[in-house]
């Protein structure tokens, strides 16, 4: 272990000695302290903050006696790498540093250069004291203003290829998990539980971080098994059928055309990949960038009734539209919170009446457009009341016209009428039936049954409408 890592561990131990190990009650204090230390001292403390706010430190504490440490490290490092674009060595450093500071496990080797500065105890205590005065529980919940929430990773930590994408991903993850931490338990409403399938693993029918889901015209269910870099196909009862043959690097969404062609967003490999109904590769399109037809972390895709392909270009805060062959047609959206602007949008739905629904993730709202991108309306604000959202991740219109929204940060599904008026909700945080741990995507069958990817529970849940 190098001297710089020892200095960081000293900081963490000082914080832990004052507030105890991280938990859901003191997370606000931890977030404020690490943020202030990040700004004034250590750029690489950002790694520790991300690991904390993603909930991974809680997992280490909870599972310390139930799962071998090296298995935990491997799984958590993979999650940080896959979701944040974090370099493997940096992710391992963050995990092992937390566990050393918490005195759960000892670090054998950890040589990552983290460029530590200004870690004298008096300076540390001064920052902690300032933070105690600054972060009163009744006044502070999160650092919500992303303009003032700067994330400087340090050049030695992230690979150049992922530097820009990493910035987008860090904001996503930090804000996403803040929503999870403050999500409220909400009594189950309709959405009667039918069945579930899936466990953690890489065998057929198992998942690691399942994300997108879609129902094909023949009734088969396609699931993006992101952590296993594959697409799995099931029948309506959850019985495994097949896997799509392809090369992927953390795909995240899937859409099916009326003729059975399969469109996959795969930001780590080729932004858009296309397969036929038999799983044979057809084509791919897109490169990294911000020009027409280029992408920065595409995170959602849908096939419109007219056959056009709508792609959520999340990192560029816009929607792009293509024909079935990948020829660019149009685009709309810029960064912001005004009408027609986005902050890291994710899910998208296009219906036959010409309306386009977008889950505007960081703005915690649903926006509605026509198929040319003209703004129509919106609903939702940040919160946990009926009709409010904490980082909505997907949206789907059922055959009866009702609109289903995956309210990920609140661990629930909300249902609205065609005008955005709240109807009902179901779901709480947890791992029992009808509970969620990072629900991400939704698909609705012609008969109205609802399938949800319950990502951190590594399963699919099915409900009646």
């Amino acid at each position: 272990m190098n001297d710089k890592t020892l200095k960081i561990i000293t900081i963490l131990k000082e914080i832990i000695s004052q507030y105890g190990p991280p938990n859901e009650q003191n997370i606000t204090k931890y977030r404020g302290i690490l943020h202030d230390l990040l700004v004034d001292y250590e750029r690489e403390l950002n790694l520790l903050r991300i690991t904390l706010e993603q909930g991974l430190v809680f997992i280490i504490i909870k599972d310390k006696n139930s799962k071998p440490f090296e298995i935990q490290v491997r799984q958590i490092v993979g999650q940080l790498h896959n979701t944040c674009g974090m370099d493997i060595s940096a992710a391992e450093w963050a995990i092992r540093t937390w566990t050393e500071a918490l005195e759960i496990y000892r670090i054998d080797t950890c040589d990552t250069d983290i460029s530590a500065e200004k870690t004298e105890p008096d300076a540390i205590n001064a920052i902690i004291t300032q933070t105690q005065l600054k972060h009163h529980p009744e006044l502070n919940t999160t650092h919500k203003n992303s303009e003032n929430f700067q994330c400087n990773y340090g050049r030695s930590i992230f690979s150049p290829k992922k530097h820009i994408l990493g910035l987008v991903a860090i904001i996503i993850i930090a804000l996403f998990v803040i929503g999870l931490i403050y999500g409220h338990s909400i009594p189950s409403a309709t959405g009667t539980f039918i069945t579930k399938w899936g466990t953690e693993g890489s065998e057929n029918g198992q998942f690691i971080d399942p994300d997108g889901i879609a129902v094909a015209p023949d009734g088969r269910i396609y699931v993006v098994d992101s952590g296993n870099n594959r697409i799995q196909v099931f029948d309506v009862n959850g019985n495994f059928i097949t896997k799509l043959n392809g090369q992927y690097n953390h795909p995240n969404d899937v859409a099916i055309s009326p003729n059975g062609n399969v469109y996959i967003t795969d930001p780590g490999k080729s932004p858009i990949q296309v397969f036929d109904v038999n799983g044979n590769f057809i084509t791919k399109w897109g490169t990294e960038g911000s020009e027409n037809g280029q992408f920065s972390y595409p995170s959602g895709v849908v096939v419109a009734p007219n056959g056009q392909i709508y792609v959520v270009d999340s990192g560029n805060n816009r929607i792009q539209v293509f024909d079935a062959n990948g020829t660019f047609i149009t685009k709309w959206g810029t960064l912001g919170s005004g009408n027609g602007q986005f902050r890291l949008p994710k899910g998208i739905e296009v219906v036959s009446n010409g309306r386009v629904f977008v889950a505007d993730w960081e703005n915690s709202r649903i926006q509605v457009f026509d198929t040319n991108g003209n703004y129509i309306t919106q609903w939702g604000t940040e919160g946990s009341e009926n009709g409010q959202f904490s980082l909505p991740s997907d949206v789907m219109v059922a055959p009866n016209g009702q609109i289903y929204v995956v309210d990920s940060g609140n661990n629930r599904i909300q249902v609205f009428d065609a005008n955005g008026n709240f109807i009902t909700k179901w779901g709480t945080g947890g791992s029992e039936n009808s509970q969620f741990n990072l629900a991400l995507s939704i698909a609705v069958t012609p008969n109205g049954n609802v399938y949800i990817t319950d990502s951190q529970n590594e399963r699919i849940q099915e409900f009646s409408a």
Side-chain angles (χ1 to χ4, degrees):
M1 189 192 314
N2 59 43
D3 291 339
K4 295 172 183 177
T5 297
L6 282 171
K7 291 180 181 180
I8 295 292
I9 291 170
T10 300
I11 293 174
L12 289 180
K13 286 188 174 182
E14 179 67 24
I15 298 170
I16 292 166
S17 70
Q18 294 200 32
Y19 297 112
N23 55 55
E24 293 182 357
Q25 284 68 48
N26 65 19
I27 184 67
T28 299
K29 290 184 175 67
Y30 266 87
R31 181 163 50 246
I33 292 168
L34 289 178
H35 179 264
D36 285 354
L37 287 169
L38 167 70
V39 171
D40 292 326
Y41 297 93
E42 299 291 346
R43 295 180 298 176
E44 285 73 25
L45 282 170
N46 204 8
L47 297 173
L48 303 176
R49 181 179 57 80
I50 294 161
T51 308
L52 173 68
E53 294 197 334
Q54 197 173 358
L56 302 179
V57 178
F58 300 157
I59 292 173
I60 292 170
I61 295 171
K62 183 184 72 173
D63 293 343
K64 65 179 180 179
N65 296 320
S66 62
K67 186 181 292 185
F69 175 57
E70 291 304 324
I71 292 178
Q72 285 191 65
V73 170
R74 187 166 64 251
Q75 291 176 340
I76 295 174
V77 165
Q79 186 170 341
L80 286 169
H81 176 68
N82 298 341
T83 58
C84 302
M86 190 182 292
D87 190 83
I88 292 294
S89 63
E92 184 169 354
W93 175 86
I95 294 301
R96 293 186 183 276
T97 299
W98 266 117
T99 56
E100 173 77 12
L102 290 163
E103 299 182 348
I104 296 174
Y105 299 98
R106 305 297 297 177
I107 299 178
D108 296 321
T109 59
C110 188
D111 295 322
T112 302
D113 184 359
I114 56 171
S115 304
E117 297 173 356
K118 297 183 181 178
T119 56
E120 295 81 8
D122 289 343
I124 295 167
N125 289 329
I127 289 294
I128 293 173
T129 301
Q130 291 170 15
T131 304
Q132 287 174 317
L133 296 172
K134 193 167 116 181
H135 297 282
H136 298 287
E138 69 273 16
L139 297 178
N140 177 41
T141 55
T142 66
H143 291 278
K144 295 177 183 176
N145 190 333
S146 60
E147 285 85 0
N148 294 327
F149 193 70
Q150 302 298 321
C151 296
N152 189 348
Y153 314 108
R155 288 183 294 277
S156 64
I157 298 298
F158 287 85
S159 61
K161 181 178 180 181
K162 300 213 174 184
H163 184 78
I164 296 175
L165 180 58
L167 175 59
V168 173
I170 293 305
I171 297 172
I172 291 175
I173 294 302
L175 289 171
F176 193 100
V177 177
I178 290 168
L180 289 175
I181 291 168
Y182 289 99
H184 296 280
S185 295
I186 296 174
S188 178
T190 57
T192 304
F193 175 82
I194 297 176
T195 189
K196 63 185 177 186
W197 72 88
T199 57
E200 182 176 1
S202 56
E203 299 297 319
N204 293 340
Q206 293 184 312
F207 304 104
I208 296 178
D209 302 332
D211 196 336
I213 188 169
V215 177
D218 62 5
R220 295 192 297 179
I221 299 164
Y222 289 69
V223 179
V224 178
D225 186 8
S226 183
N228 283 318
N229 289 311
R230 64 186 181 181
I231 311 300
Q232 295 196 69
V233 186
F234 303 86
D235 66 20
V236 293
N237 297 313
N239 298 306
F240 174 83
I241 298 175
T242 188
K243 301 186 288 274
L244 292 193
N245 295 320
Q247 294 182 337
Y248 312 103
N249 187 1
H250 308 297
N252 56 21
D253 202 15
V254 59
I256 317 294
S257 69
N259 67 358
N261 282 355
V262 182
Y263 295 82
I264 297 166
T265 50
D266 185 6
K269 186 72 174 178
S270 299
I272 308 295
Q273 296 194 54
V274 187
F275 300 81
D276 67 19
V277 67
N278 298 312
N280 300 307
F281 176 80
I282 297 175
T283 188
K284 61 184 178 181
W285 74 80
T287 58
E288 186 174 348
S290 58
E291 299 299 317
N292 295 343
Q294 293 184 316
F295 302 96
S296 174
Y297 204 84
S299 62
V301 61
V302 68
V303 180
N306 65 359
Q308 293 179 345
I309 315 300
Y310 287 67
V311 180
V312 180
D313 186 8
S314 185
N316 286 319
N317 293 291
R318 65 184 181 182
I319 308 301
Q320 294 197 70
V321 186
F322 304 84
D323 67 19
N325 298 313
T327 302
F328 174 82
I329 297 174
T330 189
K331 66 184 177 186
W332 72 87
T334 58
L335 173 64
S337 56
N339 296 344
Q341 293 185 312
F342 303 106
R343 289 189 181 277
L344 304 170
K346 191 176 189 304
I348 188 168
E349 170 74 313
V350 183
V351 292
S352 57
N353 66 0
R355 289 199 168 191
V356 180
F357 298 82
V358 180
D360 190 3
W361 189 336
E362 190 180 326
N363 281 324
S364 290
R365 64 184 179 182
I366 302 299
Q367 292 199 70
V368 187
F369 305 86
D370 66 22
T371 52
N372 295 315
N374 298 306
Y375 172 84
I376 297 175
T377 189
Q378 63 178 281
W379 71 85
T381 57
E382 184 175 357
S384 58
E385 300 300 319
N386 294 343
Q388 293 185 314
F389 303 109
S390 176
L391 301 151
S393 59
D394 203 9
V395 58
M396 176 68 66
V397 178
N400 63 3
Q402 292 181 345
I403 301 164
Y404 290 73
V405 178
V406 180
D407 187 8
S408 294
N410 287 319
N411 289 305
R412 64 184 181 182
I413 308 301
Q414 294 198 68
V415 186
F416 302 85
D417 67 18
N419 297 314
N421 299 306
F422 174 82
I423 298 175
T424 189
K425 64 190 174 188
W426 75 85
T428 62
S431 58
E432 300 299 319
N433 296 343
S434 300
Q435 293 183 321
F436 303 107
N437 184 2
L438 190 56
L440 285 180
S441 298
I442 184 170
V444 181
T445 65
N447 68 0
N449 282 0
V450 178
Y451 295 89
I452 306 292
T453 53
D454 187 7
S455 185
Q456 294 305 292
N457 284 325
E458 314 292 357
R459 65 185 180 181
I460 307 301
Q461 293 197 68
E462 180 185 1
F463 303 86
S464 64

